[in-house]
Amino acid sequence: MAVAANVSEIDHGRDILRDSRGVIVLTGAGLSVDSGLMTFRGSGGHWKKHRPEDLATPEAFHRDPRLVWEWYEERRRAAAKSRPNDAHRAIAEFALRRDDVVIATQNVDGLHTLAAREAVMGDKYSKQPRVSFTDGGDANRALPLELHGTFYNVRCTSCGLCREHRDLIDVSSKETLPHCDDCGSLMRPDVVWFGEPLGVVIERAFDCASRSDACLIVGTSAVVQPAANVAMVTHQAGGVIIEVNPNETLLTPMCEVSLRDTAAMAVPPLLTPDVDG
Ligand code: NAD
Ligand code: ZN
């Protein structure tokens, strides 16, 4: 049963993060729940309706690309209508204010990137940046390492050509799915499926994790490997883990602080600077 995080735990977490040299923030599907997007596991998760092996494997795509695209297109459309929530914003602003924060996400929904852009350029309503760069800071440092790719990119199943694809996809037949501009073959979502390797991006995340005093994990069940190991790398290098999740996870026994609350409730007070900071 989830209970709200208490103030002293939040203060403890804030102190740790303020005094840490190097923070890696590892996020999962739970972060985007407060933006209206579903997780895979738990009540309301995608896997209640679909078995992962039917949808998120190369074999499934080979067997029925239209079905797989239909599922991704439903998620792409939901994500396109969603907005970064207060936790995405707080994480982006935290990474922009400091030069020793790296964001690594398992999410494929693009909301970290949107939050980073809006923190620097303002959102479509206010047009007012929330973080200024008079100190010469680098706006790119709030861009995440996307460990599992993003479903706004597509990749050719033959020649490997990769490109952005934000337009709606007609999933009514195999012929109307995206095809490669170069060789004409079918394009797939540029995401990592079960059984596929993660590539160099996970090595970068492990390297950052090993040099970070703290790993903040938000909204991940920490069961999907190797991404979940990012937190363990920090822990094994002598750093601490801080967790934000309404429920216990496999990493809870290793955590210095566990905030049992939703991301949008717990992350902003954890990452917002002191008045004099
Ligand atoms: P998961 O579904 O395994 O776990 C989600 C976690 O979020 C759970 O531990 C749950 O207790 C927690 N949670 C639920 N509501 C929350 C809230 N409001 N605030 C904070 N935490 C909350 O997801 P995972 O660990 O990211 O791993 C599974 C895989 O799911 C990844 O490979 C990822 O690519 C994929 N995925 C991505 C998205 C997305 O991009 N938005 C959505 C669904 C799944
Ligand atoms: Zn091609």
Side-chain angles (χ1 to χ4, degrees), residues 155-161 179-187:
R155 174 157 43 98
C156 177
T157 50
S158 292
C159 73
L161 180 92
H179 284 74
C180 181
D181 299 332
D182 261 16
C183 75
S185 300
L186 196 57
M187 305 291 271

Side-chain angles (χ1 to χ4, degrees), residues 17-112:
L17 293 172
R18 187 195 54 222
D19 297 340
S20 290
R21 276 175 297 110
V23 177
I24 183 150
V25 183
L26 174 68
T27 67
L31 171 64
S32 296
V33 166
D34 295 320
S35 295
L37 304 182
M38 289 196 294
T39 65
F40 283 169
R41 297 174 183 79
S43 57
H46 286 289
W47 299 142
K48 294 284 171 190
K49 279 192 287 178
H50 309 280
R51 296 187 310 152
E53 58 270 29
D54 288 341
L55 299 165
T57 67
E59 296 75 25
F61 190 75
H62 185 69
R63 199 165 50 235
D64 192 347
R66 200 208 60 77
L67 174 70
V68 174
W69 262 121
E70 184 177 34
W71 181 58
Y72 274 98
E73 183 60 5
E74 186 186 313
R75 295 174 57 205
R76 279 161 44 96
R77 290 184 189 200
K81 278 192 236 147
S82 73
R83 307 270 317 130
N85 63 56
D86 287 347
H88 290 103
R89 292 191 193 102
I91 292 168
E93 290 165 26
F94 182 63
L96 290 167
R97 279 196 309 272
R98 294 173 54 153
D99 61 5
D100 61 348
V101 174
V102 170
I103 303 167
T105 188
Q106 298 165 87
N107 293 347
V108 295
D109 57 29
L111 288 177
H112 275 298

Side-chain angles (χ1 to χ4, degrees), residues 55-218:
L55 299 165
T57 67
E59 296 75 25
F61 190 75
H62 185 69
R63 199 165 50 235
D64 192 347
R66 200 208 60 77
L67 174 70
V68 174
W69 262 121
E70 184 177 34
W71 181 58
Y72 274 98
E73 183 60 5
E74 186 186 313
R75 295 174 57 205
R76 279 161 44 96
R77 290 184 189 200
K81 278 192 236 147
S82 73
R83 307 270 317 130
N85 63 56
D86 287 347
H88 290 103
R89 292 191 193 102
I91 292 168
E93 290 165 26
F94 182 63
L96 290 167
R97 279 196 309 272
R98 294 173 54 153
D99 61 5
D100 61 348
V101 174
V102 170
I103 303 167
T105 188
Q106 298 165 87
N107 293 347
V108 295
D109 57 29
L111 288 177
H112 275 298
T113 303
L114 188 54
R117 194 183 314 141
E118 290 184 354
V120 177
M121 298 166 58
D123 61 34
K124 62 181 174 184
Y125 307 108
S126 76
K127 309 276 189 221
Q128 288 299 315
R130 282 189 298 275
V131 178
S132 87
F133 285 94
T134 46
D135 64 346
D138 179 359
N140 288 329
R141 61 190 182 215
L143 295 178
L145 298 175
E146 292 178 315
L147 303 178
H148 293 166
T150 165
F151 54 31
Y152 290 120
N153 286 346
V154 294
R155 174 157 43 98
C156 177
T157 50
S158 292
C159 73
L161 180 92
C162 197
R163 64 171 162 83
E164 193 177 29
H165 187 110
R166 287 189 172 265
D167 295 342
L168 296 183
I169 292 173
D170 178 350
V171 295
S172 59
S173 74
K174 190 173 170 186
E175 289 65 41
T176 57
L177 298 176
H179 284 74
C180 181
D181 299 332
D182 261 16
C183 75
S185 300
L186 196 57
M187 305 291 271
R188 56 166 278 182
D190 189 27
V191 299
V192 176
W193 283 329
F194 289 103
E196 294 186 319
L198 272 68
V200 291
V201 70
I202 190 68
E203 299 307 326
R204 280 189 62 198
F206 285 152
D207 182 50
C208 295
S210 70
R211 290 184 282 106
S212 295
D213 284 349
C215 178
L216 169 63
I217 54 173
V218 182

Side-chain angles (χ1 to χ4, degrees), residues 1-7 9-10 30 34 217-219 243-248 258-267 269:
M1 176 71 171
V3 290
N6 72 46
V7 173
E9 282 173 318
I10 289 177
D34 295 320
I217 54 173
V218 182
E243 169 182 72
V244 175
N245 198 310
N247 302 299
E248 281 196 17
S258 287
L259 302 177
R260 292 276 161 261
D261 210 335
T262 62
M265 290 303 291
V267 172

Side-chain angles (χ1 to χ4, degrees), residues 242-256:
I242 297 173
E243 169 182 72
V244 175
N245 198 310
N247 302 299
E248 281 196 17
T249 72
L250 291 176
L251 290 175
T252 299
M254 263 76 80
C255 291
E256 174 75 16

Side-chain angles (χ1 to χ4, degrees), residues 24 208-210 212-215 229-240:
I24 183 150
C208 295
S210 70
S212 295
D213 284 349
C215 178
N229 264 343
V230 168
M232 285 310 297
V233 168
T234 299
H235 191 252
Q236 281 159 5
V240 298

